[in-house]
Each structure stands twice: as structure tokens, then as C-alpha cells.
Amino acid sequence: MSKPCFAVIVACLLATGCSAGLAGSPANVARPAIAATPTAPATGYDGLTGLPLSAYGTSEQDDVLLYRTNEALVARCMKSRGYPGYADRKKTRTAAKTKEESEAIHPAGAWGYIGSATAKRVGFHVSVPVPVSKGPTGQELKDYNVCWDGADRQVPSLAGTQGWKLTQDLFGQSFQQTAADSRIGAARERWSSCMNEAGHPADDPEKLANGFRDTEKTTAKEIAAATADESCTRSSRLAAVYFAVLTGYQRQLISANTKVLTGYRKQVEARVDRAAHLLTASPAT
């Protein structure tokens, strides 16, 4: 019954790849300048977490801290309500040990930026199932919910605040602006030509990936398409151009909304600092 809070924006973006984002983006936006030969980030995950707007939310490390603090506060509360063994129910997390495991845990998205090892092993089936542990029932569930609400009040979520809403909106606008940029269109045409030559005709990277995801198991056809996709994404420089253009649009949006974003970042920092203090103070860590 634990309710972890991981990087919501990044998780959403990992699932959407090059999709346009929110509707209603301002028209006639100036095209940001990019390097003549931009360099792609090491992985799509690195590219997304390294975006300018990502600096205004919680980092992956912050989310782990917030999760641990919540667990500690709930465990302390459950102990006070007659469940001394609750804190011993460890939440297992397996750290990635190999390149293949790292790629699977941090998938790069739906549009071919998934890493060669993952493409060859599981195709586009990059999601990792999270083990679901049996939660409390009956009176224990009622007590757990009371404890959860108490922990939430001590470290309240920022979802729904002005800064949170603005950050979400700006992410959507930046994705829409990027999708409409002619440089992305040219890179996607190069990608499509490469895929056709490789024997996997496709016009849209995301549609290609989604076309295989309804199947229960990865097929040889999917692995072949995913491998070609990964190769064509590199040779067409789609990822390099994509992240460079997206970064440029985000910087413009940040410049136009500095006051609210700066205030929101301070709220995030204060929340993380409070969580760190409570985690240290809690005897149930």
C-alpha cells in the first residue's frame, strides 16, 4: 500500500517520446539556435532528466528521499497504533548491475532511443514490471490510511500549485513547439528513409513502437524493427537534433516565466529539506 512519488514529469515523457504535447502552444515562436552538429545525450533518460525545465522539479534522488521519508513516517505512526513489525516490511528494490538492466530500468522512450542492448533483447517492450506486495486489510488498512494522511500533511505535495501547473504547461508547450520545428521534421524524414532502406517502412517513430506493444511477448520481427530503429535514430541524428531543439525552446520558456519558476524551485527545495530533516528525526528509518 505504499504510495511512492517518483519523477512524474520524466515518467510521463519517457512514455510519450516525440509526441506533440499539450494543445494551445503560442504561435509564431522564435526558433532557437542550435549547434551545427549537436551531440545526443548518452541515453534518452539522461536527455530528459537533463532538460532545463527538469531542474524545476524533484530529481530522482529527491524522489527516493521523499519516498523513504514517507515510509519512515508511516512506520512510526503504525508502531504507535499497535503494529511494531510494520517497519520490518522492507520494500525490495534491485539495483541495476549491467548495461542491459540499466537500459531497461531507465527506458529512453517510445521512439527508438532505447539503446542497442535493449533493442536486441526485448525490442520495444522496455517497461519493467514492479513487484506488487500484498497490502494491509481490515482495521490495519484503516490505520494505514490514517498514517498515510498524517505523513502527507507533514510533507505536503506541491501538485496543483501555481508553479507545478506552470511547469507542466511549459513542458507541454516545449514538446509541441519542438514537434512543429522543421529541423525535427527533416531529421524524421532521414530516419524514415533509413528505416525503409533497412526493410522496416515507417513514417512515425512512436507509431512504429506502439504497433508492437499490444503483444504479450517480444517477437523476432519486433527485435529486428527495434534494432533498425535504434540504428536509424543514431544515423539520422534524430535524438541529437531533437534534444538540442527541445532544450532551446525550454530555455526561451523559462526566460519568459523566471519569477514563478524560481519561486516554485524554492518550494521544491524547502519540501526536500523538510523531508530530509524528518527522515533523520524519525526513529523508524
Side-chain angles (χ1 to χ4, degrees), residues 129-151:
V130 179
V132 179
S133 58
K134 185 177 180 180
T137 59
Q139 184 59 45
E140 184 179 359
L141 175 59
K142 295 179 181 179
D143 288 327
Y144 173 86
N145 287 335
V146 170
C147 290
W148 168 267
D149 290 340

PDB file of all heavy atoms in Angstrom, residues 129-151:
ATOM      1  N   PRO A 129       8.138  -4.564 -15.050  1.00  0.00           N
ATOM      2  CA  PRO A 129       7.042  -4.745 -14.095  1.00  0.00           C
ATOM      3  C   PRO A 129       7.520  -4.564 -12.663  1.00  0.00           C
ATOM      4  O   PRO A 129       8.589  -5.052 -12.292  1.00  0.00           O
ATOM      5  CB  PRO A 129       6.582  -6.187 -14.353  1.00  0.00           C
ATOM      6  CG  PRO A 129       7.767  -6.863 -14.968  1.00  0.00           C
ATOM      7  CD  PRO A 129       8.461  -5.802 -15.774  1.00  0.00           C
ATOM      8  N   VAL A 130       6.749  -3.815 -11.894  1.00  0.00           N
ATOM      9  CA  VAL A 130       7.086  -3.578 -10.493  1.00  0.00           C
ATOM     10  C   VAL A 130       6.374  -4.606  -9.623  1.00  0.00           C
ATOM     11  O   VAL A 130       5.154  -4.738  -9.692  1.00  0.00           O
ATOM     12  CB  VAL A 130       6.656  -2.153 -10.067  1.00  0.00           C
ATOM     13  CG1 VAL A 130       6.980  -1.927  -8.597  1.00  0.00           C
ATOM     14  CG2 VAL A 130       7.340  -1.121 -10.942  1.00  0.00           C
ATOM     15  N   PRO A 131       7.137  -5.362  -8.804  1.00  0.00           N
ATOM     16  CA  PRO A 131       6.505  -6.360  -7.938  1.00  0.00           C
ATOM     17  C   PRO A 131       5.486  -5.699  -7.009  1.00  0.00           C
ATOM     18  O   PRO A 131       5.750  -4.652  -6.424  1.00  0.00           O
ATOM     19  CB  PRO A 131       7.679  -6.949  -7.139  1.00  0.00           C
ATOM     20  CG  PRO A 131       8.892  -6.622  -7.959  1.00  0.00           C
ATOM     21  CD  PRO A 131       8.598  -5.326  -8.649  1.00  0.00           C
ATOM     22  N   VAL A 132       4.321  -6.297  -6.912  1.00  0.00           N
ATOM     23  CA  VAL A 132       3.266  -5.753  -6.057  1.00  0.00           C
ATOM     24  C   VAL A 132       3.154  -6.616  -4.802  1.00  0.00           C
ATOM     25  O   VAL A 132       2.862  -7.807  -4.881  1.00  0.00           O
ATOM     26  CB  VAL A 132       1.912  -5.734  -6.805  1.00  0.00           C
ATOM     27  CG1 VAL A 132       0.823  -5.196  -5.879  1.00  0.00           C
ATOM     28  CG2 VAL A 132       2.013  -4.905  -8.066  1.00  0.00           C
ATOM     29  N   SER A 133       3.440  -6.006  -3.668  1.00  0.00           N
ATOM     30  CA  SER A 133       3.345  -6.739  -2.407  1.00  0.00           C
ATOM     31  C   SER A 133       1.924  -6.658  -1.865  1.00  0.00           C
ATOM     32  O   SER A 133       1.194  -5.703  -2.142  1.00  0.00           O
ATOM     33  CB  SER A 133       4.330  -6.153  -1.387  1.00  0.00           C
ATOM     34  OG  SER A 133       4.069  -4.787  -1.184  1.00  0.00           O
ATOM     35  N   LYS A 134       1.559  -7.661  -1.095  1.00  0.00           N
ATOM     36  CA  LYS A 134       0.225  -7.709  -0.507  1.00  0.00           C
ATOM     37  C   LYS A 134       0.098  -6.635   0.560  1.00  0.00           C
ATOM     38  O   LYS A 134       0.917  -6.526   1.458  1.00  0.00           O
ATOM     39  CB  LYS A 134      -0.027  -9.083   0.088  1.00  0.00           C
ATOM     40  CG  LYS A 134      -1.447  -9.261   0.613  1.00  0.00           C
ATOM     41  CD  LYS A 134      -1.660 -10.671   1.134  1.00  0.00           C
ATOM     42  CE  LYS A 134      -3.094 -10.845   1.658  1.00  0.00           C
ATOM     43  NZ  LYS A 134      -3.305 -12.217   2.177  1.00  0.00           N
ATOM     44  N   GLY A 135      -0.911  -5.813   0.450  1.00  0.00           N
ATOM     45  CA  GLY A 135      -1.089  -4.711   1.384  1.00  0.00           C
ATOM     46  C   GLY A 135      -1.962  -5.104   2.561  1.00  0.00           C
ATOM     47  O   GLY A 135      -2.527  -6.206   2.617  1.00  0.00           O
ATOM     48  N   PRO A 136      -2.097  -4.208   3.529  1.00  0.00           N
ATOM     49  CA  PRO A 136      -2.912  -4.481   4.713  1.00  0.00           C
ATOM     50  C   PRO A 136      -4.394  -4.527   4.372  1.00  0.00           C
ATOM     51  O   PRO A 136      -4.819  -4.002   3.346  1.00  0.00           O
ATOM     52  CB  PRO A 136      -2.589  -3.302   5.635  1.00  0.00           C
ATOM     53  CG  PRO A 136      -2.195  -2.197   4.707  1.00  0.00           C
ATOM     54  CD  PRO A 136      -1.481  -2.869   3.568  1.00  0.00           C
ATOM     55  N   THR A 137      -5.164  -5.148   5.218  1.00  0.00           N
ATOM     56  CA  THR A 137      -6.614  -5.238   5.043  1.00  0.00           C
ATOM     57  C   THR A 137      -7.292  -4.932   6.375  1.00  0.00           C
ATOM     58  O   THR A 137      -6.643  -4.862   7.418  1.00  0.00           O
ATOM     59  CB  THR A 137      -7.034  -6.643   4.569  1.00  0.00           C
ATOM     60  OG1 THR A 137      -6.597  -7.619   5.531  1.00  0.00           O
ATOM     61  CG2 THR A 137      -6.423  -6.971   3.214  1.00  0.00           C
ATOM     62  N   GLY A 138      -8.605  -4.798   6.325  1.00  0.00           N
ATOM     63  CA  GLY A 138      -9.389  -4.621   7.548  1.00  0.00           C
ATOM     64  C   GLY A 138      -8.972  -3.413   8.355  1.00  0.00           C
ATOM     65  O   GLY A 138      -8.736  -2.328   7.819  1.00  0.00           O
ATOM     66  N   GLN A 139      -8.865  -3.589   9.668  1.00  0.00           N
ATOM     67  CA  GLN A 139      -8.515  -2.494  10.560  1.00  0.00           C
ATOM     68  C   GLN A 139      -7.120  -1.971  10.283  1.00  0.00           C
ATOM     69  O   GLN A 139      -6.857  -0.765  10.369  1.00  0.00           O
ATOM     70  CB  GLN A 139      -8.613  -2.955  12.032  1.00  0.00           C
ATOM     71  CG  GLN A 139      -8.350  -1.847  13.046  1.00  0.00           C
ATOM     72  CD  GLN A 139      -9.303  -0.673  12.903  1.00  0.00           C
ATOM     73  OE1 GLN A 139     -10.505  -0.855  12.761  1.00  0.00           O
ATOM     74  NE2 GLN A 139      -8.779   0.550  12.932  1.00  0.00           N
ATOM     75  N   GLU A 140      -6.208  -2.868   9.908  1.00  0.00           N
ATOM     76  CA  GLU A 140      -4.852  -2.423   9.614  1.00  0.00           C
ATOM     77  C   GLU A 140      -4.842  -1.454   8.430  1.00  0.00           C
ATOM     78  O   GLU A 140      -4.104  -0.474   8.423  1.00  0.00           O
ATOM     79  CB  GLU A 140      -3.938  -3.611   9.313  1.00  0.00           C
ATOM     80  CG  GLU A 140      -2.483  -3.201   9.094  1.00  0.00           C
ATOM     81  CD  GLU A 140      -1.571  -4.379   8.810  1.00  0.00           C
ATOM     82  OE1 GLU A 140      -2.063  -5.531   8.793  1.00  0.00           O
ATOM     83  OE2 GLU A 140      -0.362  -4.143   8.595  1.00  0.00           O
ATOM     84  N   LEU A 141      -5.684  -1.722   7.443  1.00  0.00           N
ATOM     85  CA  LEU A 141      -5.776  -0.823   6.291  1.00  0.00           C
ATOM     86  C   LEU A 141      -6.290   0.548   6.723  1.00  0.00           C
ATOM     87  O   LEU A 141      -5.786   1.576   6.267  1.00  0.00           O
ATOM     88  CB  LEU A 141      -6.698  -1.423   5.231  1.00  0.00           C
ATOM     89  CG  LEU A 141      -6.994  -0.535   4.015  1.00  0.00           C
ATOM     90  CD1 LEU A 141      -5.702  -0.166   3.292  1.00  0.00           C
ATOM     91  CD2 LEU A 141      -7.963  -1.238   3.067  1.00  0.00           C
ATOM     92  N   LYS A 142      -7.288   0.570   7.592  1.00  0.00           N
ATOM     93  CA  LYS A 142      -7.818   1.848   8.086  1.00  0.00           C
ATOM     94  C   LYS A 142      -6.732   2.626   8.828  1.00  0.00           C
ATOM     95  O   LYS A 142      -6.587   3.838   8.655  1.00  0.00           O
ATOM     96  CB  LYS A 142      -9.023   1.603   9.001  1.00  0.00           C
ATOM     97  CG  LYS A 142     -10.226   0.995   8.286  1.00  0.00           C
ATOM     98  CD  LYS A 142     -11.372   0.754   9.260  1.00  0.00           C
ATOM     99  CE  LYS A 142     -12.568   0.127   8.556  1.00  0.00           C
ATOM    100  NZ  LYS A 142     -13.679  -0.147   9.500  1.00  0.00           N
ATOM    101  N   ASP A 143      -5.972   1.911   9.676  1.00  0.00           N
ATOM    102  CA  ASP A 143      -4.896   2.573  10.406  1.00  0.00           C
ATOM    103  C   ASP A 143      -3.804   3.060   9.454  1.00  0.00           C
ATOM    104  O   ASP A 143      -3.245   4.146   9.638  1.00  0.00           O
ATOM    105  CB  ASP A 143      -4.289   1.611  11.436  1.00  0.00           C
ATOM    106  CG  ASP A 143      -5.227   1.354  12.608  1.00  0.00           C
ATOM    107  OD1 ASP A 143      -5.973   2.278  12.971  1.00  0.00           O
ATOM    108  OD2 ASP A 143      -5.222   0.235  13.146  1.00  0.00           O
ATOM    109  N   TYR A 144      -3.519   2.254   8.452  1.00  0.00           N
ATOM    110  CA  TYR A 144      -2.510   2.661   7.463  1.00  0.00           C
ATOM    111  C   TYR A 144      -2.929   3.949   6.762  1.00  0.00           C
ATOM    112  O   TYR A 144      -2.117   4.864   6.582  1.00  0.00           O
ATOM    113  CB  TYR A 144      -2.295   1.564   6.429  1.00  0.00           C
ATOM    114  CG  TYR A 144      -1.394   2.003   5.295  1.00  0.00           C
ATOM    115  CD1 TYR A 144      -0.017   1.904   5.398  1.00  0.00           C
ATOM    116  CD2 TYR A 144      -1.945   2.555   4.134  1.00  0.00           C
ATOM    117  CE1 TYR A 144       0.808   2.342   4.370  1.00  0.00           C
ATOM    118  CE2 TYR A 144      -1.121   2.999   3.105  1.00  0.00           C
ATOM    119  CZ  TYR A 144       0.246   2.885   3.216  1.00  0.00           C
ATOM    120  OH  TYR A 144       1.056   3.330   2.202  1.00  0.00           O
ATOM    121  N   ASN A 145      -4.185   4.035   6.362  1.00  0.00           N
ATOM    122  CA  ASN A 145      -4.664   5.228   5.671  1.00  0.00           C
ATOM    123  C   ASN A 145      -4.571   6.471   6.561  1.00  0.00           C
ATOM    124  O   ASN A 145      -4.247   7.564   6.089  1.00  0.00           O
ATOM    125  CB  ASN A 145      -6.097   5.023   5.196  1.00  0.00           C
ATOM    126  CG  ASN A 145      -6.182   4.069   4.011  1.00  0.00           C
ATOM    127  OD1 ASN A 145      -5.218   3.913   3.264  1.00  0.00           O
ATOM    128  ND2 ASN A 145      -7.316   3.411   3.858  1.00  0.00           N
ATOM    129  N   VAL A 146      -4.849   6.302   7.851  1.00  0.00           N
ATOM    130  CA  VAL A 146      -4.702   7.413   8.790  1.00  0.00           C
ATOM    131  C   VAL A 146      -3.240   7.848   8.846  1.00  0.00           C
ATOM    132  O   VAL A 146      -2.917   9.043   8.821  1.00  0.00           O
ATOM    133  CB  VAL A 146      -5.196   7.011  10.199  1.00  0.00           C
ATOM    134  CG1 VAL A 146      -4.806   8.079  11.223  1.00  0.00           C
ATOM    135  CG2 VAL A 146      -6.706   6.815  10.205  1.00  0.00           C
ATOM    136  N   CYS A 147      -2.348   6.857   8.906  1.00  0.00           N
ATOM    137  CA  CYS A 147      -0.917   7.167   8.980  1.00  0.00           C
ATOM    138  C   CYS A 147      -0.420   7.808   7.687  1.00  0.00           C
ATOM    139  O   CYS A 147       0.412   8.726   7.707  1.00  0.00           O
ATOM    140  CB  CYS A 147      -0.121   5.888   9.271  1.00  0.00           C
ATOM    141  SG  CYS A 147      -0.363   5.255  10.951  1.00  0.00           S
ATOM    142  N   TRP A 148      -0.919   7.314   6.550  1.00  0.00           N
ATOM    143  CA  TRP A 148      -0.530   7.899   5.271  1.00  0.00           C
ATOM    144  C   TRP A 148      -0.946   9.366   5.197  1.00  0.00           C
ATOM    145  O   TRP A 148      -0.168  10.226   4.792  1.00  0.00           O
ATOM    146  CB  TRP A 148      -1.146   7.118   4.115  1.00  0.00           C
ATOM    147  CG  TRP A 148      -1.001   7.847   2.812  1.00  0.00           C
ATOM    148  CD1 TRP A 148      -1.892   8.698   2.224  1.00  0.00           C
ATOM    149  CD2 TRP A 148       0.154   7.861   1.971  1.00  0.00           C
ATOM    150  NE1 TRP A 148      -1.388   9.218   1.062  1.00  0.00           N
ATOM    151  CE2 TRP A 148      -0.131   8.723   0.889  1.00  0.00           C
ATOM    152  CE3 TRP A 148       1.389   7.210   2.022  1.00  0.00           C
ATOM    153  CZ2 TRP A 148       0.783   8.958  -0.134  1.00  0.00           C
ATOM    154  CZ3 TRP A 148       2.292   7.444   0.993  1.00  0.00           C
ATOM    155  CH2 TRP A 148       1.995   8.302  -0.061  1.00  0.00           C
ATOM    156  N   ASP A 149      -2.188   9.652   5.589  1.00  0.00           N
ATOM    157  CA  ASP A 149      -2.678  11.030   5.552  1.00  0.00           C
ATOM    158  C   ASP A 149      -1.845  11.921   6.468  1.00  0.00           C
ATOM    159  O   ASP A 149      -1.552  13.082   6.137  1.00  0.00           O
ATOM    160  CB  ASP A 149      -4.146  11.074   5.965  1.00  0.00           C
ATOM    161  CG  ASP A 149      -5.063  10.444   4.923  1.00  0.00           C
ATOM    162  OD1 ASP A 149      -4.639  10.318   3.763  1.00  0.00           O
ATOM    163  OD2 ASP A 149      -6.197  10.070   5.290  1.00  0.00           O
ATOM    164  N   GLY A 150      -1.444  11.380   7.632  1.00  0.00           N
ATOM    165  CA  GLY A 150      -0.620  12.160   8.554  1.00  0.00           C
ATOM    166  C   GLY A 150       0.746  12.465   7.973  1.00  0.00           C
ATOM    167  O   GLY A 150       1.255  13.581   8.107  1.00  0.00           O
ATOM    168  N   ALA A 151       1.347  11.469   7.309  1.00  0.00           N
ATOM    169  CA  ALA A 151       2.652  11.678   6.674  1.00  0.00           C
ATOM    170  C   ALA A 151       2.540  12.694   5.549  1.00  0.00           C
ATOM    171  O   ALA A 151       3.423  13.549   5.367  1.00  0.00           O
ATOM    172  CB  ALA A 151       3.191  10.352   6.153  1.00  0.00           C
TER     173      ALA A 151
END
